[in-house]
Amino acid sequence: MCVLVGAAIALHETPGASTAATVDPHAGHIMPKAIPVAVTQAAPLPATGWTITADNNSAQAANVLDGDATTLWRTTATALPHMLTIDTHNRIALSGLTYLPPSDSANGRIGRYEVLISDDGTTWSKPVATGTFADDATLKTVTIGTVVTRFVQLRALSEAGGRNTKSAAAETNLLGGTDPALPRTGWTAVADSQETAGEDGRAQNVLDGDTGSIWHTQYSGGAEPDLPHTLTIDMKKTYLVSGLSYLPRPADSLNGHIGKYQVLTSRDGETWSDPVASGAFQDSAAVQSTTFAPQIARFVRLEALAEAGNRGPWSSAAEINVLGRADPSLSRTGWTAKADSEETAEEDDKAAYVLDGDPSTLWHSAWSSNPPSALPHTLTVDMKKSQSVGGLTYLPRPADSWNGHIGKYQVSTSTDGTTWTTRISGAFPDKTALQTVIFPAVTARYVRLTALTEADGRGPWSTAAEINVLAPTGSVVPGRGSFSAPIGFPLVPVAAAQLPNGKILTWSAFQPDDYVGGYGQTVTATYDPATGVVTQRTVTTTDHDMFCPGISTLPDGRILVTGGNDSEKTSIYDPKTDAWTRGPNMNTPRGYQASTTLSDGRVFTIGGSWSGGYGGVNGTPRKNGEVWSATKGWISLPGTDVTAMLTNDADPNGDYRKDNHAWLFAWTGGSVLQAGPSKKMNWYGTSGAGTTTSAGTRGDAPDQMNGDAVMYDTGKILALGGSPSYEQSQATANAYVITINGVNKAVTTKKVSPMANTRSFANAVPLPDGTVAVFGGQNYAVPFSDNTSVFTTELWDPKTEKFTALASATVPRNYHSVALLMPDGRVFTGGGGLCGTACDTNHFDGQVFTPPYLLNADGSDAARPVITTAPTTAANGAKITVKTDSAVTSFAIIRMGTATHTVDTDQRRLSLTPTAVSGGYQLTIPSDSGVALPGYWMLFAMNAKGVPSVAKVIKIG
């Protein structure tokens, strides 16, 4: 516990993981293992000095903070909602809370909930977390993005079982964040304008800890300086800063609330960065925060570009906190630096000067030779010993000349000076300000900065004044787009399906947090984005534990779920009636198989040795394909040979890990392209006894188990990530574009630029504009672990065939996570874990990602076109007329997805070329039902800026 001025924060390093579950005799399942936790875990903050009140039976409220699970708070049966409000009497960095229901009775268990925060106990934020707790007595955890606050309120909106209107709790703990407010002792603040005549509105008041005092720009004496206004914080020494918290003035007046803003950083108070964050604060008295790419800085400047309510040219603030941590720059004593080229003839510009601590000296590549040394240039730092590193800072040469400012760059590391691994690449701005680069922690002795270009193309030179190497920080990386507040679920959403009614169906297993040891039922939860309500149900009517299944959306919108824990069974969900029914058993028991809906509405499945016996071992046949139809049930296809798609997994147990999670793409005439994860690709025919035809290999790709494959346009598939083996295996960042050339013909494979992050267990989703968003995953594949998690979202652009970094998620999404495109153009991501009640990596939540195309540069919502008229059904080959409220330039249809274990065989995106007609646009649905598969699709219209409409749902076929 470290108590800071203005903030309190607790960090907890967990030395071990959950207790391994008992062996499941039903099948050779992956079992949760004791994996050392390598990431910082939020820990309960000490409640010393805290007070708590409740709206009902407040006398018992203190029981939830006493550390005794046998003492309770329980309300009487008055009207919901009920509220517990905690006053920490300090400003804390908060990353979540835990809720322990009482064990004496189910009465009053909280169901739906909201978490709100306040700095004064009067003005409350919008919910920072929402969701639904499971109706059981286990400890619940709510995760939020780190915020700085004093008051926290848990609102009970419903009773979990609908038994009454009571609410109850045994214990509640607040969890500390990982990037706290920095201690402000000795800091100073200055502003371009401050009021001192009419009131004490000095800039220094934002650092005094008194939320009743404020900084206000001048308004008396006839002088009201125009916007923008600047508020500059001098922290007196450098920190690694990653955010800023802004508390507006108290609610007695709204004047001066900052609206549009930007944040800049500096090491010396003279040379400033480009904006590291920008956006618009809400016109509210609640504390608000912005985060950004970590920067080494001494000065932080908040620039107020607009007044939130346009009431006048003023700006004001009650408190400013800078979020971050200590400067992680490593000591450079004894280090050496060398370069591929250095100027020594006309100037003394040796590489060693980047380590001398003097910003007036510099390294310059050789320029007096004729011709001068050509790009790229390398600058290599030898730290003399291997140590953990996680970043680098680059100080360009002084402002007397800009020649040699590095533009595009790569940072690589090595343990021996011979074998190098690229850790990050990008482009520095043509500025003299200090630049900070953060990358995932790695052990290295050597760090190399490669200058690929000169920032303004002035010549083939490279220069640097100072280079520092940073220790690992764990701080978030930069991004675009945004994630919502976490949405709590009463289960770990391991599987999900987007429904035509806009809702998302999710499920876990026979238990909300575990899959080992029980069969015959499945816990489900349905999320309604329109209301935010999550509804729980345990499905027993089909006698089917649907964990680790194949999933396919049928032409009429029903969801076909096959195998899994109950490995031979089939269940069908009908969203029209909200009912589950039992389907015919498969001929081959399966788990971790994939399935896909065919051009004629049948469903093909293959593989699945995770349950139902290991294929090829102890007399269990290999799990060749079979096909389902509504009229004939399941029919085996012995000619669809699973051995053609087996990976070379290191697991010795037959096909146990080798026939999992096939990348299946239904195509023309009932055919199926198996595009991975094995490097061998195949065409499967589903007529008669079935056929198998090689489609070639995926270029230089290895097996990519637990990678992703997405059809982002007609016959175009992006394959990315994964690892050679299912677990204990290094992931890849490589990506490939696969082009379908016709049934039973070899596909064309093109290797494209890799992701910035290696990923296994990630989820990839096609977006309306043809880009592909990639969420979560980890660098080293370990089920039930959040080690090596990748929080940064990446976006692949088919025009450039490159990835760019987007926003970072709050919660890691690894093994057993999902992602689905929603009809509003946003993406639902959720889940991860399912390893029992004692497991640290169960994630009972989801978040909604807003892609950059829905946001303006200032963070506000972009204006969207609206589809005003569109048909609800269309046949293959039909011409349809669509009307919009404004001009659009392109259209696309995306089939509604289903997701589990990185597999989504339902989602695919097809571009539709519009023709202008009277009153709208004419579109032609592809005539081939193997391209535009039968079922429900989302129709999007995009304007010239690439902003998509909310989709109209259309049934094709």
Side-chain angles (χ1 to χ4, degrees):
M1 173 67 185
C2 178
V3 180
L4 307 174
V5 175
I9 177 65
L11 302 183
H12 176 60
E13 297 288 349
T14 305
S18 60
T19 302
T22 56
V23 175
D24 178 4
H26 182 76
H29 297 344
I30 279 187
M31 309 305 294
K33 299 176 182 177
I35 304 297
V37 176
V39 293
T40 301
Q41 302 292 313
L45 294 167
T48 304
W50 295 4
T51 56
I52 185 168
T53 58
D55 70 302
N56 182 286
N57 202 2
S58 193
Q60 288 186 356
N63 290 339
V64 306
L65 297 179
D66 66 1
D68 184 351
T70 64
T71 61
L72 311 174
W73 165 72
R74 181 175 278 121
T75 69
T76 58
T78 54
L80 290 157
H82 294 304
M83 288 163 282
L84 281 171
T85 302
I86 297 173
D87 181 356
T88 67
H89 297 277
N90 195 356
R91 303 189 71 234
I92 64 167
L94 178 77
S95 66
L97 62 80
T98 62
Y99 161 67
L100 180 66
S103 58
D104 67 323
S105 169
N107 285 333
R109 288 177 184 165
I110 297 174
R112 290 195 298 117
Y113 65 85
E114 294 177 339
V115 178
L116 296 84
I117 59 173
S118 172
D119 210 68
D120 59 9
T122 302
T123 303
W124 292 92
S125 68
K126 294 179 180 179
V128 294
T130 64
T132 304
F133 292 131
D135 188 15
D136 58 43
T138 60
L139 182 71
K140 325 293 184 188
T141 300
V142 177
T143 302
I144 64 175
T146 300
V147 293
V148 179
T149 190
R150 171 178 169 177
F151 295 86
V152 180
Q153 187 173 90
L154 174 61
R155 292 186 179 178
L157 306 180
S158 72
E159 204 269 354
R163 290 171 286 264
N164 47 56
T165 59
K166 296 179 180 180
S167 296
E171 288 292 308
T172 295
N173 286 291
L174 303 184
L175 305 178
T178 56
D179 259 344
L182 293 167
R184 301 182 297 180
T185 303
W187 290 11
T188 56
V190 296
D192 70 304
S193 170
Q194 59 185 16
E195 178 60 37
T196 57
E199 64 175 307
D200 180 4
R202 294 172 301 150
Q204 190 67 23
N205 291 340
V206 302
L207 301 175
D208 66 0
D210 182 357
T211 59
S213 66
I214 64 169
W215 160 66
H216 199 297
T217 55
Q218 185 178 356
Y219 61 82
S220 65
E224 292 187 333
D226 288 336
L227 290 156
H229 295 300
T230 62
L231 182 64
T232 303
I233 307 296
D234 181 359
M235 301 180 292
K236 302 304 180 182
K237 65 178 182 179
T238 57
Y239 291 91
L240 184 74
V241 297
S242 60
L244 178 145
S245 178
Y246 162 63
L247 179 67
R249 65 182 299 174
D252 57 343
S253 174
L254 303 180
N255 287 347
H257 280 186
I258 297 173
K260 292 182 181 179
Y261 69 86
Q262 58 186 22
V263 179
L264 300 88
T265 63
S266 172
R267 68 179 182 88
D268 58 9
E270 297 178 1
T271 303
W272 290 90
S273 68
D274 287 337
V276 294
S278 61
F281 291 128
Q282 298 175 13
D283 193 10
S284 162
V287 64
Q288 300 172 63
S289 297
T290 183
T291 58
F292 45 80
Q295 306 287 318
I296 298 292
R298 171 178 166 176
F299 298 85
V300 177
R301 174 172 288 171
L302 174 62
E303 290 190 355
L305 307 179
E307 205 270 1
N310 294 318
R311 288 171 286 263
W314 318 297
S315 296
S316 62
E319 291 288 296
I320 297 291
N321 277 277
V322 178
L323 309 181
R325 59 189 67 208
D327 184 343
S329 298
L330 295 169
S331 171
R332 301 183 295 180
T333 303
W335 291 9
T336 58
K338 65 178 182 179
D340 69 305
S341 166
E342 58 185 14
E343 178 62 34
T344 57
E346 296 293 326
E347 290 181 355
D348 183 10
D349 293 335
K350 295 189 292 292
Y353 289 140
V354 302
L355 301 176
D356 69 355
D358 183 353
S360 66
T361 62
L362 68 142
W363 160 68
H364 199 305
S365 61
W367 53 266
S368 61
S369 57
N370 189 16
S373 180
L375 288 159
H377 294 302
T378 60
L379 184 62
T380 303
V381 175
D382 180 359
M383 301 182 292
K384 300 303 180 182
K385 65 179 181 180
S386 289
Q387 54 189 310
S388 188
V389 299
L392 172 148
T393 62
Y394 160 65
L395 180 65
R397 67 181 298 174
D400 58 340
S401 173
W402 291 39
N403 286 346
H405 281 186
I406 297 173
K408 293 182 179 179
Y409 69 86
Q410 289 181 342
V411 178
S412 307
T413 64
S414 173
T415 56
D416 58 9
T418 302
T419 303
W420 293 90
T421 302
T422 299
R423 299 301 173 186
I424 196 167
S425 59
F428 294 128
D430 193 14
K431 297 277 189 179
T432 57
L434 183 72
Q435 307 296 321
T436 306
V437 175
I438 300 294
F439 50 80
V442 63
T443 298
R445 171 177 168 175
Y446 301 87
V447 178
R448 173 175 288 173
L449 174 63
T450 301
L452 304 176
T453 66
E454 206 271 359
D456 196 42
R458 287 173 287 258
W461 317 296
S462 297
T463 61
E466 290 290 310
I467 296 291
N468 279 280
V469 179
L470 308 181
T473 66
S475 296
V476 295
V477 293
R480 293 181 297 152
S482 64
F483 280 89
S484 72
I487 305 154
F489 277 66
L491 50 73
V492 176
V494 176
Q498 177 64 57
L499 304 178
N501 59 16
K503 298 179 181 180
I504 296 174
L505 171 69
T506 70
W507 64 93
S508 54
F510 81 104
Q511 291 290 342
D513 60 355
D514 202 354
Y515 67 90
V516 178
Y519 301 90
Q521 68 177 33
T522 300
V523 180
T524 73
T526 302
Y527 169 54
D528 186 351
T531 63
V533 173
V534 181
T535 306
Q536 180 181 352
R537 176 200 297 180
T538 299
V539 177
T540 59
T541 54
T542 62
D543 194 33
H544 185 183
D545 184 342
M546 293 177 271
F547 170 72
C548 72
I551 314 173
S552 291
T553 301
L554 300 177
D556 60 4
R558 292 179 298 159
I559 309 297
L560 184 80
V561 183
T562 59
N565 259 351
D566 284 314
S567 54
E568 75 287 351
K569 294 179 180 177
T570 300
S571 295
I572 302 173
Y573 173 75
D574 189 342
K576 295 177 182 176
T577 61
D578 191 28
W580 288 88
T581 56
R582 178 76 178 266
N585 284 356
M586 290 185 291
N587 296 305
T588 300
R590 307 175 189 270
Y592 280 17
Q593 78 280 14
S595 64
T596 185
T597 301
L598 302 176
S599 59
D600 57 6
R602 295 178 300 155
V603 174
F604 171 76
T605 189
I606 193 168
S609 288
W610 179 82
S611 63
Y614 303 155
V617 174
N618 296 328
T620 300
R622 287 203 148 100
K623 300 191 177 184
N624 297 329
E626 56 186 305
V627 67
W628 172 92
S629 70
T631 56
K632 297 181 180 180
W634 291 100
I635 298 175
S636 296
L637 302 178
T640 54
D641 184 7
V642 73
T643 60
M645 57 162 263
L646 298 180
T647 68
N648 191 32
D649 194 280
D651 189 276
N653 297 304
D655 297 348
Y656 171 53
R657 309 311 305 131
K658 298 178 175 66
D659 67 359
N660 299 179
H661 309 322
W663 300 348
L664 302 181
F665 293 89
W667 205 241
T668 303
S671 63
V672 177
L673 173 66
Q674 173 261 318
S678 63
K679 62 184 178 183
K680 299 173 292 183
M681 300 181 289
N682 299 279
W683 284 101
Y684 287 120
T686 60
S687 298
T691 59
T692 304
T693 305
S694 174
T697 56
R698 205 167 43 261
D700 66 354
D703 296 334
Q704 292 176 266
M705 181 58 71
N706 294 309
D708 297 271
V710 177
M711 186 176 288
Y712 64 89
D713 212 339
T714 305
K716 295 284 189 177
I717 299 166
L718 176 69
L720 56 91
S723 54
S725 291
Y726 203 103
E727 55 182 318
Q728 309 297 322
S729 181
Q730 293 286 351
T732 182
N734 288 344
Y736 303 82
V737 170
I738 301 167
T739 302
I740 297 176
N741 298 314
V743 177
N744 291 337
K745 294 182 179 179
V747 301
T748 301
T749 301
K750 177 184 179 182
K751 191 174 186 178
V752 295
S753 296
M755 297 179 287
N757 301 280
T758 61
R759 301 177 192 252
S760 192
F761 303 128
N763 290 279
V765 174
L767 301 181
D769 62 356
T771 57
V772 177
V774 186
F775 300 91
Q778 57 187 170
N779 305 138
Y780 186 69
V782 181
F784 308 111
S785 170
D786 285 337
N787 294 350
T788 71
S789 294
V790 180
F791 289 84
T792 308
T793 305
E794 294 190 58
L795 186 74
W796 185 78
D797 188 338
K799 297 183 182 68
T800 63
E801 296 185 337
K802 293 181 179 180
F803 290 88
T804 56
L806 299 184
S808 293
T810 304
V811 181
R813 304 292 179 200
N814 295 310
Y815 185 58
H816 290 164
S817 64
V818 297
L820 291 172
L821 179 69
M822 303 193 302
D824 68 355
R826 293 174 170 83
V827 179
F828 172 82
T829 69
L834 201 77
C835 40
T837 57
C839 184
D840 291 329
T841 57
N842 287 334
H843 299 299
F844 291 82
D845 53 30
Q847 287 184 275
V848 174
F849 175 70
T850 299
Y853 54 46
L854 293 179
L855 299 173
N856 295 317
D858 64 1
S860 60
D861 292 340
R864 306 181 67 169
V866 176
I867 298 176
T868 57
T869 303
T872 57
T873 61
N876 288 101
K879 296 182 183 299
I880 63 173
T881 299
V882 178
K883 298 180 180 180
T884 60
D885 72 336
S886 56
V888 297
T889 58
S890 60
F891 288 84
I893 52 174
I894 301 181
R895 198 164 186 269
M896 291 189 169
T898 59
T900 191
H901 294 80
T902 73
V903 174
D904 188 338
T905 60
D906 282 302
Q907 67 177 1
R908 64 173 60 184
R909 176 191 175 275
L910 308 175
S911 298
L912 299 183
T913 302
T915 301
V917 296
S918 178
Y921 304 88
Q922 187 178 84
L923 309 173
T924 301
I925 304 298
S927 58
D928 189 340
S929 62
V931 176
L933 293 171
Y936 283 88
W937 294 68
M938 296 174 282
L939 171 65
F940 293 95
M942 274 71 66
N943 64 21
K945 295 181 178 180
V947 181
S949 66
V950 173
K952 291 292 186 180
V953 177
I954 181 170
K955 183 176 181 290
I956 294 177

